[in-house]
Amino acid sequence: MAFYGPERYVDMVDLAHARSIDPAKFVKGLGQEQMAMATPCEDTVTMAATAGRRALAAFDVDPAEIGMLIIGTETGVDHSKPAAVYVHELLRLPERCRTFETKHACYGAMAGLTAATDWIAAGRARGRKALIIASDIARYGIQTPGEPTQGAGAVAMVVSASPRLIAFDEELYGDYTRQVMDFWRPLYSKYAYVDGHYSIACYLDALSGALADARDAASVETDISLEHLDACLYHVPFVKMARKAHTRHWEFELRQPIDEQNPTGQERSMASYQQMVAPWLSLNSVVGNIYTGSLFLSLIDYLRGLTPEREGRRLSLFSYGSGCGAAFCVGHVSDGASRYRQAIDPQHHIDGRRKLSIDEYERLLHACEHVDESDIDDVELSQPSAWDLRGEIFYMGTRQHIRQYSDRSL
Ligand code: CAA
């Protein structure tokens, strides 16, 4: 696995001051400290390709070994052409490769991961590996309720028959789907439309639904009760959501509501949250919502802190995509996984980011609105030099309606 995100971020205290809001609402109420901000030169493709390149290099995987590439994204760059095919070229993957993009809001990468594990289990991989990349830019716009829950980044995962980090239980899986209008983004809009509080309720209902389906699939060996799990990882649109999710998980298990009428339940669920969820949310708190990748960013946080004693333990993963679709599954940590904790730790990259002033952030968002529309030579802001970026792969705008990418490593 590898994470890559934009080189710029916004501090939530600065944003709160600019919006005349008590900073405690963003920092404590939502649990967010910073949010990553993509410049016009960074898009779903550049972040996915960079994360993919890092994952292959960190785990010494030859691109020739990849037989399947899936990009899960809410932020596709074309109505027709998948972001995956640009990434396929940038990573120099073989032509004998199944390549496509999956979309279901934040659930797209989980759908891709399931397709990859099924491809391997069905025997079609013929010893090859799959590369699944979650890549997104969460944009709600200036002065909207969703503004403090933006972010951007990509998580790349190599899937193989002999995983070095985590192996998924094959039989155990819980699915959930229901048509709801909690969050959507019409084809003509760069910004998401959202019914924020309703989206939280839909997320929690989907968690109960996916858990019920998974429980029906569980056996004595694949028991999903919390006492058999080391960690519970959830989709994290903002950090506080994971706490709400874990409370619902407890309610599901105890079959009773956890509220002011049940102080013991509240206390126990909070203690469990502190032990099984909170330790793996620090990356999410400084990156923000990365839609498809948010759950897997929490998984990277878990794996980067792994000690040998945790190898073999089981953890649950819950993915939620608005609209809505959800999945609950369980994996166990592979023997020897703790050896890779430095290889997947993105802290060096996070520490190297530069803070934007609120004025710069607002100009940046406006610049991103127009970068796809003009010819490359008209758009000064689509030059990496305009943003002083250090990465390798950049989006340079369009030429005759064709997206242009540059790769400094060539
Ligand atoms: N000090 C401490 N806490 C404070 C506070 C203060 N001064 N002021 C408010 N708070 C707390 C509130 O009590 C609340 O906490 P609880 O939920 O625990 O009660 C929290 O801060 C947020 O306050 P509000 O609910 O009043 O905030 P809001 O109405 O402005 O909107 C939001 C919050 C709905 C999350 C909004 O930011 C939003 O719409 N975000 C986008 C949608 C989203 O992320 N939905 C998540 C589920 S859908 C999904 O997961 C898919 C996806 O990725 C989009």
mmCIF file with all atom_site columns, all heavy atoms in Angstrom, residues 22 24-25 29 106 140 145 149 183 196-197 199 203 235 237-238 240 244 289 322, ligand 1:
data_model
loop_
_atom_site.group_PDB
_atom_site.id
_atom_site.type_symbol
_atom_site.label_atom_id
_atom_site.label_alt_id
_atom_site.label_comp_id
_atom_site.label_asym_id
_atom_site.label_entity_id
_atom_site.label_seq_id
_atom_site.pdbx_PDB_ins_code
_atom_site.Cartn_x
_atom_site.Cartn_y
_atom_site.Cartn_z
_atom_site.occupancy
_atom_site.B_iso_or_equiv
_atom_site.pdbx_formal_charge
_atom_site.auth_seq_id
_atom_site.auth_comp_id
_atom_site.auth_asym_id
_atom_site.auth_atom_id
_atom_site.pdbx_PDB_model_num
ATOM   1   N N   . ASP A 1 22  ? -16.415 29.186 15.596 1.00 0.00 ? 22  ASP A N   1
ATOM   2   C CA  . ASP A 1 22  ? -15.550 28.743 16.703 1.00 0.00 ? 22  ASP A CA  1
ATOM   3   C C   . ASP A 1 22  ? -14.671 27.579 16.192 1.00 0.00 ? 22  ASP A C   1
ATOM   4   O O   . ASP A 1 22  ? -15.212 26.549 15.749 1.00 0.00 ? 22  ASP A O   1
ATOM   5   C CB  . ASP A 1 22  ? -16.452 28.273 17.865 1.00 0.00 ? 22  ASP A CB  1
ATOM   6   C CG  . ASP A 1 22  ? -15.644 27.770 19.045 1.00 0.00 ? 22  ASP A CG  1
ATOM   7   O OD1 . ASP A 1 22  ? -14.402 27.694 18.946 1.00 0.00 ? 22  ASP A OD1 1
ATOM   8   O OD2 . ASP A 1 22  ? -16.276 27.431 20.067 1.00 0.00 ? 22  ASP A OD2 1
ATOM   9   N N   . ALA A 1 24  ? -13.276 25.298 17.588 1.00 0.00 ? 24  ALA A N   1
ATOM   10  C CA  . ALA A 1 24  ? -13.562 24.018 18.269 1.00 0.00 ? 24  ALA A CA  1
ATOM   11  C C   . ALA A 1 24  ? -14.593 23.195 17.497 1.00 0.00 ? 24  ALA A C   1
ATOM   12  O O   . ALA A 1 24  ? -14.609 21.971 17.576 1.00 0.00 ? 24  ALA A O   1
ATOM   13  C CB  . ALA A 1 24  ? -14.055 24.279 19.686 1.00 0.00 ? 24  ALA A CB  1
ATOM   14  N N   . LYS A 1 25  ? -15.446 23.869 16.733 1.00 0.00 ? 25  LYS A N   1
ATOM   15  C CA  . LYS A 1 25  ? -16.434 23.110 15.950 1.00 0.00 ? 25  LYS A CA  1
ATOM   16  C C   . LYS A 1 25  ? -15.737 22.209 14.928 1.00 0.00 ? 25  LYS A C   1
ATOM   17  O O   . LYS A 1 25  ? -16.094 21.038 14.772 1.00 0.00 ? 25  LYS A O   1
ATOM   18  C CB  . LYS A 1 25  ? -17.401 24.062 15.234 1.00 0.00 ? 25  LYS A CB  1
ATOM   19  C CG  . LYS A 1 25  ? -18.363 23.317 14.323 1.00 0.00 ? 25  LYS A CG  1
ATOM   20  C CD  . LYS A 1 25  ? -19.394 24.182 13.680 1.00 0.00 ? 25  LYS A CD  1
ATOM   21  C CE  . LYS A 1 25  ? -20.208 23.354 12.693 1.00 0.00 ? 25  LYS A CE  1
ATOM   22  N NZ  . LYS A 1 25  ? -21.225 24.116 11.997 1.00 0.00 ? 25  LYS A NZ  1
ATOM   23  N N   . GLY A 1 29  ? -15.497 19.255 17.180 1.00 0.00 ? 29  GLY A N   1
ATOM   24  C CA  . GLY A 1 29  ? -16.825 18.820 16.701 1.00 0.00 ? 29  GLY A CA  1
ATOM   25  C C   . GLY A 1 29  ? -16.736 17.871 15.522 1.00 0.00 ? 29  GLY A C   1
ATOM   26  O O   . GLY A 1 29  ? -17.464 16.882 15.454 1.00 0.00 ? 29  GLY A O   1
ATOM   27  N N   . CYS A 1 106 ? -18.024 7.156  -2.449 1.00 0.00 ? 106 CYS A N   1
ATOM   28  C CA  . CYS A 1 106 ? -16.822 6.750  -1.700 1.00 0.00 ? 106 CYS A CA  1
ATOM   29  C C   . CYS A 1 106 ? -16.622 5.236  -1.650 1.00 0.00 ? 106 CYS A C   1
ATOM   30  O O   . CYS A 1 106 ? -15.649 4.752  -1.078 1.00 0.00 ? 106 CYS A O   1
ATOM   31  C CB  . CYS A 1 106 ? -16.879 7.307  -0.282 1.00 0.00 ? 106 CYS A CB  1
ATOM   32  S SG  . CYS A 1 106 ? -17.255 9.050  -0.251 1.00 0.00 ? 106 CYS A SG  1
ATOM   33  N N   . TYR A 1 140 ? -16.569 20.726 -1.841 1.00 0.00 ? 140 TYR A N   1
ATOM   34  C CA  . TYR A 1 140 ? -17.945 21.162 -1.563 1.00 0.00 ? 140 TYR A CA  1
ATOM   35  C C   . TYR A 1 140 ? -18.119 22.648 -1.868 1.00 0.00 ? 140 TYR A C   1
ATOM   36  O O   . TYR A 1 140 ? -19.237 23.116 -2.036 1.00 0.00 ? 140 TYR A O   1
ATOM   37  C CB  . TYR A 1 140 ? -18.301 20.910 -0.098 1.00 0.00 ? 140 TYR A CB  1
ATOM   38  C CG  . TYR A 1 140 ? -18.417 19.444 0.250  1.00 0.00 ? 140 TYR A CG  1
ATOM   39  C CD1 . TYR A 1 140 ? -17.333 18.743 0.766  1.00 0.00 ? 140 TYR A CD1 1
ATOM   40  C CD2 . TYR A 1 140 ? -19.606 18.758 0.065  1.00 0.00 ? 140 TYR A CD2 1
ATOM   41  C CE1 . TYR A 1 140 ? -17.427 17.405 1.088  1.00 0.00 ? 140 TYR A CE1 1
ATOM   42  C CE2 . TYR A 1 140 ? -19.723 17.412 0.385  1.00 0.00 ? 140 TYR A CE2 1
ATOM   43  C CZ  . TYR A 1 140 ? -18.624 16.747 0.898  1.00 0.00 ? 140 TYR A CZ  1
ATOM   44  O OH  . TYR A 1 140 ? -18.734 15.412 1.214  1.00 0.00 ? 140 TYR A OH  1
ATOM   45  N N   . PRO A 1 145 ? -21.682 24.209 4.149  1.00 0.00 ? 145 PRO A N   1
ATOM   46  C CA  . PRO A 1 145 ? -21.494 23.398 5.372  1.00 0.00 ? 145 PRO A CA  1
ATOM   47  C C   . PRO A 1 145 ? -20.460 22.292 5.177  1.00 0.00 ? 145 PRO A C   1
ATOM   48  O O   . PRO A 1 145 ? -19.786 21.887 6.118  1.00 0.00 ? 145 PRO A O   1
ATOM   49  C CB  . PRO A 1 145 ? -22.887 22.798 5.618  1.00 0.00 ? 145 PRO A CB  1
ATOM   50  C CG  . PRO A 1 145 ? -23.839 23.657 4.863  1.00 0.00 ? 145 PRO A CG  1
ATOM   51  C CD  . PRO A 1 145 ? -23.079 24.228 3.699  1.00 0.00 ? 145 PRO A CD  1
ATOM   52  N N   . THR A 1 149 ? -15.103 19.690 5.401  1.00 0.00 ? 149 THR A N   1
ATOM   53  C CA  . THR A 1 149 ? -14.919 18.240 5.206  1.00 0.00 ? 149 THR A CA  1
ATOM   54  C C   . THR A 1 149 ? -14.398 17.949 3.786  1.00 0.00 ? 149 THR A C   1
ATOM   55  O O   . THR A 1 149 ? -14.717 16.931 3.205  1.00 0.00 ? 149 THR A O   1
ATOM   56  C CB  . THR A 1 149 ? -16.227 17.452 5.482  1.00 0.00 ? 149 THR A CB  1
ATOM   57  O OG1 . THR A 1 149 ? -17.243 17.869 4.559  1.00 0.00 ? 149 THR A OG1 1
ATOM   58  C CG2 . THR A 1 149 ? -16.727 17.668 6.891  1.00 0.00 ? 149 THR A CG2 1
ATOM   59  N N   . PHE A 1 183 ? -26.053 12.564 -1.060 1.00 0.00 ? 183 PHE A N   1
ATOM   60  C CA  . PHE A 1 183 ? -24.851 13.235 -1.611 1.00 0.00 ? 183 PHE A CA  1
ATOM   61  C C   . PHE A 1 183 ? -24.789 12.831 -3.067 1.00 0.00 ? 183 PHE A C   1
ATOM   62  O O   . PHE A 1 183 ? -24.931 11.655 -3.381 1.00 0.00 ? 183 PHE A O   1
ATOM   63  C CB  . PHE A 1 183 ? -23.626 12.736 -0.832 1.00 0.00 ? 183 PHE A CB  1
ATOM   64  C CG  . PHE A 1 183 ? -22.287 13.014 -1.461 1.00 0.00 ? 183 PHE A CG  1
ATOM   65  C CD1 . PHE A 1 183 ? -21.452 13.986 -0.926 1.00 0.00 ? 183 PHE A CD1 1
ATOM   66  C CD2 . PHE A 1 183 ? -21.845 12.284 -2.565 1.00 0.00 ? 183 PHE A CD2 1
ATOM   67  C CE1 . PHE A 1 183 ? -20.203 14.226 -1.493 1.00 0.00 ? 183 PHE A CE1 1
ATOM   68  C CE2 . PHE A 1 183 ? -20.605 12.521 -3.130 1.00 0.00 ? 183 PHE A CE2 1
ATOM   69  C CZ  . PHE A 1 183 ? -19.777 13.502 -2.578 1.00 0.00 ? 183 PHE A CZ  1
ATOM   70  N N   . GLY A 1 196 ? -26.311 17.119 4.354  1.00 0.00 ? 196 GLY A N   1
ATOM   71  C CA  . GLY A 1 196 ? -25.285 16.675 5.299  1.00 0.00 ? 196 GLY A CA  1
ATOM   72  C C   . GLY A 1 196 ? -25.780 15.794 6.439  1.00 0.00 ? 196 GLY A C   1
ATOM   73  O O   . GLY A 1 196 ? -25.277 14.688 6.634  1.00 0.00 ? 196 GLY A O   1
ATOM   74  N N   . HIS A 1 197 ? -26.770 16.264 7.193  1.00 0.00 ? 197 HIS A N   1
ATOM   75  C CA  . HIS A 1 197 ? -27.210 15.482 8.359  1.00 0.00 ? 197 HIS A CA  1
ATOM   76  C C   . HIS A 1 197 ? -27.911 14.195 7.929  1.00 0.00 ? 197 HIS A C   1
ATOM   77  O O   . HIS A 1 197 ? -27.762 13.149 8.562  1.00 0.00 ? 197 HIS A O   1
ATOM   78  C CB  . HIS A 1 197 ? -28.083 16.343 9.279  1.00 0.00 ? 197 HIS A CB  1
ATOM   79  C CG  . HIS A 1 197 ? -27.274 17.420 9.940  1.00 0.00 ? 197 HIS A CG  1
ATOM   80  N ND1 . HIS A 1 197 ? -26.518 17.184 11.069 1.00 0.00 ? 197 HIS A ND1 1
ATOM   81  C CD2 . HIS A 1 197 ? -27.040 18.710 9.599  1.00 0.00 ? 197 HIS A CD2 1
ATOM   82  C CE1 . HIS A 1 197 ? -25.866 18.298 11.399 1.00 0.00 ? 197 HIS A CE1 1
ATOM   83  N NE2 . HIS A 1 197 ? -26.170 19.237 10.525 1.00 0.00 ? 197 HIS A NE2 1
ATOM   84  N N   . SER A 1 199 ? -27.086 12.574 5.281  1.00 0.00 ? 199 SER A N   1
ATOM   85  C CA  . SER A 1 199 ? -26.022 11.662 4.816  1.00 0.00 ? 199 SER A CA  1
ATOM   86  C C   . SER A 1 199 ? -25.429 10.879 5.991  1.00 0.00 ? 199 SER A C   1
ATOM   87  O O   . SER A 1 199 ? -25.048 9.716  5.845  1.00 0.00 ? 199 SER A O   1
ATOM   88  C CB  . SER A 1 199 ? -24.931 12.416 4.042  1.00 0.00 ? 199 SER A CB  1
ATOM   89  O OG  . SER A 1 199 ? -24.109 13.181 4.900  1.00 0.00 ? 199 SER A OG  1
ATOM   90  N N   . TYR A 1 203 ? -25.487 6.847  6.246  1.00 0.00 ? 203 TYR A N   1
ATOM   91  C CA  . TYR A 1 203 ? -24.244 6.106  6.515  1.00 0.00 ? 203 TYR A CA  1
ATOM   92  C C   . TYR A 1 203 ? -24.483 5.098  7.641  1.00 0.00 ? 203 TYR A C   1
ATOM   93  O O   . TYR A 1 203 ? -24.129 3.912  7.532  1.00 0.00 ? 203 TYR A O   1
ATOM   94  C CB  . TYR A 1 203 ? -23.158 7.126  6.883  1.00 0.00 ? 203 TYR A CB  1
ATOM   95  C CG  . TYR A 1 203 ? -21.805 6.605  7.335  1.00 0.00 ? 203 TYR A CG  1
ATOM   96  C CD1 . TYR A 1 203 ? -20.637 6.972  6.667  1.00 0.00 ? 203 TYR A CD1 1
ATOM   97  C CD2 . TYR A 1 203 ? -21.666 5.792  8.462  1.00 0.00 ? 203 TYR A CD2 1
ATOM   98  C CE1 . TYR A 1 203 ? -19.383 6.536  7.085  1.00 0.00 ? 203 TYR A CE1 1
ATOM   99  C CE2 . TYR A 1 203 ? -20.419 5.342  8.883  1.00 0.00 ? 203 TYR A CE2 1
ATOM   100 C CZ  . TYR A 1 203 ? -19.281 5.729  8.201  1.00 0.00 ? 203 TYR A CZ  1
ATOM   101 O OH  . TYR A 1 203 ? -18.049 5.291  8.625  1.00 0.00 ? 203 TYR A OH  1
ATOM   102 N N   . HIS A 1 235 ? -15.212 4.070  6.925  1.00 0.00 ? 235 HIS A N   1
ATOM   103 C CA  . HIS A 1 235 ? -15.083 5.204  6.006  1.00 0.00 ? 235 HIS A CA  1
ATOM   104 C C   . HIS A 1 235 ? -15.062 6.477  6.861  1.00 0.00 ? 235 HIS A C   1
ATOM   105 O O   . HIS A 1 235 ? -15.889 6.633  7.766  1.00 0.00 ? 235 HIS A O   1
ATOM   106 C CB  . HIS A 1 235 ? -16.255 5.224  5.020  1.00 0.00 ? 235 HIS A CB  1
ATOM   107 C CG  . HIS A 1 235 ? -16.339 6.506  4.246  1.00 0.00 ? 235 HIS A CG  1
ATOM   108 N ND1 . HIS A 1 235 ? -15.263 7.017  3.542  1.00 0.00 ? 235 HIS A ND1 1
ATOM   109 C CD2 . HIS A 1 235 ? -17.342 7.405  4.084  1.00 0.00 ? 235 HIS A CD2 1
ATOM   110 C CE1 . HIS A 1 235 ? -15.619 8.157  2.972  1.00 0.00 ? 235 HIS A CE1 1
ATOM   111 N NE2 . HIS A 1 235 ? -16.873 8.425  3.290  1.00 0.00 ? 235 HIS A NE2 1
ATOM   112 N N   . PRO A 1 237 ? -15.309 10.318 6.416  1.00 0.00 ? 237 PRO A N   1
ATOM   113 C CA  . PRO A 1 237 ? -15.480 11.603 5.726  1.00 0.00 ? 237 PRO A CA  1
ATOM   114 C C   . PRO A 1 237 ? -14.982 12.751 6.595  1.00 0.00 ? 237 PRO A C   1
ATOM   115 O O   . PRO A 1 237 ? -14.542 13.783 6.092  1.00 0.00 ? 237 PRO A O   1
ATOM   116 C CB  . PRO A 1 237 ? -16.990 11.693 5.501  1.00 0.00 ? 237 PRO A CB  1
ATOM   117 C CG  . PRO A 1 237 ? -17.599 10.752 6.497  1.00 0.00 ? 237 PRO A CG  1
ATOM   118 C CD  . PRO A 1 237 ? -16.587 9.679  6.744  1.00 0.00 ? 237 PRO A CD  1
ATOM   119 N N   . PHE A 1 238 ? -15.077 12.571 7.899  1.00 0.00 ? 238 PHE A N   1
ATOM   120 C CA  . PHE A 1 238 ? -14.448 13.444 8.902  1.00 0.00 ? 238 PHE A CA  1
ATOM   121 C C   . PHE A 1 238 ? -14.323 12.567 10.136 1.00 0.00 ? 238 PHE A C   1
ATOM   122 O O   . PHE A 1 238 ? -15.066 11.587 10.310 1.00 0.00 ? 238 PHE A O   1
ATOM   123 C CB  . PHE A 1 238 ? -15.277 14.723 9.164  1.00 0.00 ? 238 PHE A CB  1
ATOM   124 C CG  . PHE A 1 238 ? -16.721 14.457 9.509  1.00 0.00 ? 238 PHE A CG  1
ATOM   125 C CD1 . PHE A 1 238 ? -17.137 14.332 10.813 1.00 0.00 ? 238 PHE A CD1 1
ATOM   126 C CD2 . PHE A 1 238 ? -17.662 14.308 8.492  1.00 0.00 ? 238 PHE A CD2 1
ATOM   127 C CE1 . PHE A 1 238 ? -18.461 14.073 11.121 1.00 0.00 ? 238 PHE A CE1 1
ATOM   128 C CE2 . PHE A 1 238 ? -18.994 14.038 8.798  1.00 0.00 ? 238 PHE A CE2 1
ATOM   129 C CZ  . PHE A 1 238 ? -19.397 13.924 10.118 1.00 0.00 ? 238 PHE A CZ  1
ATOM   130 N N   . LYS A 1 240 ? -14.943 12.590 13.331 1.00 0.00 ? 240 LYS A N   1
ATOM   131 C CA  . LYS A 1 240 ? -16.051 12.319 14.261 1.00 0.00 ? 240 LYS A CA  1
ATOM   132 C C   . LYS A 1 240 ? -17.002 11.248 13.720 1.00 0.00 ? 240 LYS A C   1
ATOM   133 O O   . LYS A 1 240 ? -17.649 10.539 14.477 1.00 0.00 ? 240 LYS A O   1
ATOM   134 C CB  . LYS A 1 240 ? -16.800 13.633 14.539 1.00 0.00 ? 240 LYS A CB  1
ATOM   135 C CG  . LYS A 1 240 ? -18.055 13.538 15.376 1.00 0.00 ? 240 LYS A CG  1
ATOM   136 C CD  . LYS A 1 240 ? -17.846 13.244 16.835 1.00 0.00 ? 240 LYS A CD  1
ATOM   137 C CE  . LYS A 1 240 ? -17.684 14.400 17.748 1.00 0.00 ? 240 LYS A CE  1
ATOM   138 N NZ  . LYS A 1 240 ? -18.690 15.426 17.773 1.00 0.00 ? 240 LYS A NZ  1
ATOM   139 N N   . LYS A 1 244 ? -19.151 8.056  15.551 1.00 0.00 ? 244 LYS A N   1
ATOM   140 C CA  . LYS A 1 244 ? -20.583 7.767  15.431 1.00 0.00 ? 244 LYS A CA  1
ATOM   141 C C   . LYS A 1 244 ? -20.771 6.338  14.905 1.00 0.00 ? 244 LYS A C   1
ATOM   142 O O   . LYS A 1 244 ? -21.651 5.612  15.346 1.00 0.00 ? 244 LYS A O   1
ATOM   143 C CB  . LYS A 1 244 ? -21.251 8.751  14.453 1.00 0.00 ? 244 LYS A CB  1
ATOM   144 C CG  . LYS A 1 244 ? -21.304 10.208 14.941 1.00 0.00 ? 244 LYS A CG  1
ATOM   145 C CD  . LYS A 1 244 ? -21.917 11.081 13.845 1.00 0.00 ? 244 LYS A CD  1
ATOM   146 C CE  . LYS A 1 244 ? -21.769 12.567 14.102 1.00 0.00 ? 244 LYS A CE  1
ATOM   147 N NZ  . LYS A 1 244 ? -22.573 13.092 15.189 1.00 0.00 ? 244 LYS A NZ  1
ATOM   148 N N   . ASN A 1 289 ? -11.239 14.495 3.936  1.00 0.00 ? 289 ASN A N   1
ATOM   149 C CA  . ASN A 1 289 ? -11.979 13.444 3.238  1.00 0.00 ? 289 ASN A CA  1
ATOM   150 C C   . ASN A 1 289 ? -11.330 13.173 1.888  1.00 0.00 ? 289 ASN A C   1
ATOM   151 O O   . ASN A 1 289 ? -11.129 14.092 1.090  1.00 0.00 ? 289 ASN A O   1
ATOM   152 C CB  . ASN A 1 289 ? -13.442 13.877 3.037  1.00 0.00 ? 289 ASN A CB  1
ATOM   153 C CG  . ASN A 1 289 ? -14.334 12.697 2.626  1.00 0.00 ? 289 ASN A CG  1
ATOM   154 O OD1 . ASN A 1 289 ? -13.856 11.581 2.463  1.00 0.00 ? 289 ASN A OD1 1
ATOM   155 N ND2 . ASN A 1 289 ? -15.613 12.955 2.466  1.00 0.00 ? 289 ASN A ND2 1
ATOM   156 N N   . SER A 1 322 ? -22.107 7.189  -0.699 1.00 0.00 ? 322 SER A N   1
ATOM   157 C CA  . SER A 1 322 ? -23.421 7.832  -0.712 1.00 0.00 ? 322 SER A CA  1
ATOM   158 C C   . SER A 1 322 ? -24.198 7.386  -1.936 1.00 0.00 ? 322 SER A C   1
ATOM   159 O O   . SER A 1 322 ? -23.650 6.980  -2.949 1.00 0.00 ? 322 SER A O   1
ATOM   160 C CB  . SER A 1 322 ? -23.248 9.346  -0.737 1.00 0.00 ? 322 SER A CB  1
ATOM   161 O OG  . SER A 1 322 ? -22.842 9.789  0.530  1.00 0.00 ? 322 SER A OG  1
HETATM 162 N N1  . CAA B 2 .   ? -17.248 23.109 19.954 1.00 0.00 ? 1   CAA B N1  1
HETATM 163 C C1  . CAA B 2 .   ? -17.239 21.753 19.880 1.00 0.00 ? 1   CAA B C1  1
HETATM 164 N N2  . CAA B 2 .   ? -18.107 21.068 19.079 1.00 0.00 ? 1   CAA B N2  1
HETATM 165 C C2  . CAA B 2 .   ? -18.965 21.771 18.327 1.00 0.00 ? 1   CAA B C2  1
HETATM 166 C C3  . CAA B 2 .   ? -19.030 23.177 18.364 1.00 0.00 ? 1   CAA B C3  1
HETATM 167 C C4  . CAA B 2 .   ? -18.110 23.860 19.229 1.00 0.00 ? 1   CAA B C4  1
HETATM 168 N N3  . CAA B 2 .   ? -18.093 25.180 19.294 1.00 0.00 ? 1   CAA B N3  1
HETATM 169 N N4  . CAA B 2 .   ? -19.990 23.584 17.500 1.00 0.00 ? 1   CAA B N4  1
HETATM 170 C C5  . CAA B 2 .   ? -20.521 22.470 16.953 1.00 0.00 ? 1   CAA B C5  1
HETATM 171 N N5  . CAA B 2 .   ? -19.906 21.388 17.462 1.00 0.00 ? 1   CAA B N5  1
HETATM 172 C C6  . CAA B 2 .   ? -20.149 19.973 17.121 1.00 0.00 ? 1   CAA B C6  1
HETATM 173 C C7  . CAA B 2 .   ? -21.615 19.612 16.976 1.00 0.00 ? 1   CAA B C7  1
HETATM 174 O O1  . CAA B 2 .   ? -22.203 19.296 18.222 1.00 0.00 ? 1   CAA B O1  1
HETATM 175 C C8  . CAA B 2 .   ? -21.519 18.406 16.036 1.00 0.00 ? 1   CAA B C8  1
HETATM 176 O O2  . CAA B 2 .   ? -21.108 17.263 16.754 1.00 0.00 ? 1   CAA B O2  1
HETATM 177 P P1  . CAA B 2 .   ? -22.132 16.023 16.920 1.00 0.00 ? 1   CAA B P1  1
HETATM 178 O O3  . CAA B 2 .   ? -22.472 15.580 15.529 1.00 0.00 ? 1   CAA B O3  1
HETATM 179 O O4  . CAA B 2 .   ? -21.369 15.010 17.679 1.00 0.00 ? 1   CAA B O4  1
HETATM 180 O O5  . CAA B 2 .   ? -23.319 16.563 17.640 1.00 0.00 ? 1   CAA B O5  1
HETATM 181 C C9  . CAA B 2 .   ? -20.361 18.768 15.121 1.00 0.00 ? 1   CAA B C9  1
HETATM 182 O O6  . CAA B 2 .   ? -19.611 19.781 15.808 1.00 0.00 ? 1   CAA B O6  1
HETATM 183 C C10 . CAA B 2 .   ? -20.784 19.330 13.772 1.00 0.00 ? 1   CAA B C10 1
HETATM 184 O O7  . CAA B 2 .   ? -21.689 20.369 14.011 1.00 0.00 ? 1   CAA B O7  1
HETATM 185 P P2  . CAA B 2 .   ? -22.987 20.542 13.105 1.00 0.00 ? 1   CAA B P2  1
HETATM 186 O O8  . CAA B 2 .   ? -23.682 19.227 12.948 1.00 0.00 ? 1   CAA B O8  1
HETATM 187 O O9  . CAA B 2 .   ? -23.762 21.676 13.630 1.00 0.00 ? 1   CAA B O9  1
HETATM 188 O O10 . CAA B 2 .   ? -22.276 20.935 11.734 1.00 0.00 ? 1   CAA B O10 1
HETATM 189 P P3  . CAA B 2 .   ? -22.914 21.329 10.360 1.00 0.00 ? 1   CAA B P3  1
HETATM 190 O O11 . CAA B 2 .   ? -24.385 21.371 10.427 1.00 0.00 ? 1   CAA B O11 1
HETATM 191 O O12 . CAA B 2 .   ? -22.224 22.571 9.932  1.00 0.00 ? 1   CAA B O12 1
HETATM 192 O O13 . CAA B 2 .   ? -22.498 20.166 9.340  1.00 0.00 ? 1   CAA B O13 1
HETATM 193 C C11 . CAA B 2 .   ? -21.710 18.183 8.358  1.00 0.00 ? 1   CAA B C11 1
HETATM 194 C C12 . CAA B 2 .   ? -21.646 19.076 9.602  1.00 0.00 ? 1   CAA B C12 1
HETATM 195 C C13 . CAA B 2 .   ? -23.133 17.682 8.146  1.00 0.00 ? 1   CAA B C13 1
HETATM 196 C C14 . CAA B 2 .   ? -20.789 16.980 8.572  1.00 0.00 ? 1   CAA B C14 1
HETATM 197 C C15 . CAA B 2 .   ? -21.240 19.003 7.110  1.00 0.00 ? 1   CAA B C15 1
HETATM 198 O O14 . CAA B 2 .   ? -19.896 19.379 7.283  1.00 0.00 ? 1   CAA B O14 1
HETATM 199 C C16 . CAA B 2 .   ? -21.389 18.249 5.791  1.00 0.00 ? 1   CAA B C16 1
HETATM 200 O O15 . CAA B 2 .   ? -22.445 18.300 5.168  1.00 0.00 ? 1   CAA B O15 1
HETATM 201 N N6  . CAA B 2 .   ? -20.317 17.528 5.331  1.00 0.00 ? 1   CAA B N6  1
HETATM 202 C C17 . CAA B 2 .   ? -20.361 16.780 4.081  1.00 0.00 ? 1   CAA B C17 1
HETATM 203 C C18 . CAA B 2 .   ? -21.196 15.527 4.179  1.00 0.00 ? 1   CAA B C18 1
HETATM 204 C C19 . CAA B 2 .   ? -20.542 14.394 4.929  1.00 0.00 ? 1   CAA B C19 1
HETATM 205 O O16 . CAA B 2 .   ? -19.350 14.371 5.166  1.00 0.00 ? 1   CAA B O16 1
HETATM 206 N N7  . CAA B 2 .   ? -21.343 13.383 5.297  1.00 0.00 ? 1   CAA B N7  1
HETATM 207 C C20 . CAA B 2 .   ? -20.851 12.220 5.991  1.00 0.00 ? 1   CAA B C20 1
HETATM 208 C C21 . CAA B 2 .   ? -21.715 11.019 5.753  1.00 0.00 ? 1   CAA B C21 1
HETATM 209 S S1  . CAA B 2 .   ? -21.849 10.700 4.000  1.00 0.00 ? 1   CAA B S1  1
HETATM 210 C C22 . CAA B 2 .   ? -20.368 9.986  3.582  1.00 0.00 ? 1   CAA B C22 1
HETATM 211 O O17 . CAA B 2 .   ? -19.663 9.534  4.417  1.00 0.00 ? 1   CAA B O17 1
HETATM 212 C C23 . CAA B 2 .   ? -19.992 9.932  2.138  1.00 0.00 ? 1   CAA B C23 1
HETATM 213 C C24 . CAA B 2 .   ? -18.977 11.024 1.925  1.00 0.00 ? 1   CAA B C24 1
HETATM 214 O O18 . CAA B 2 .   ? -17.794 10.843 2.101  1.00 0.00 ? 1   CAA B O18 1
HETATM 215 C C25 . CAA B 2 .   ? -19.476 12.343 1.511  1.00 0.00 ? 1   CAA B C25 1
#
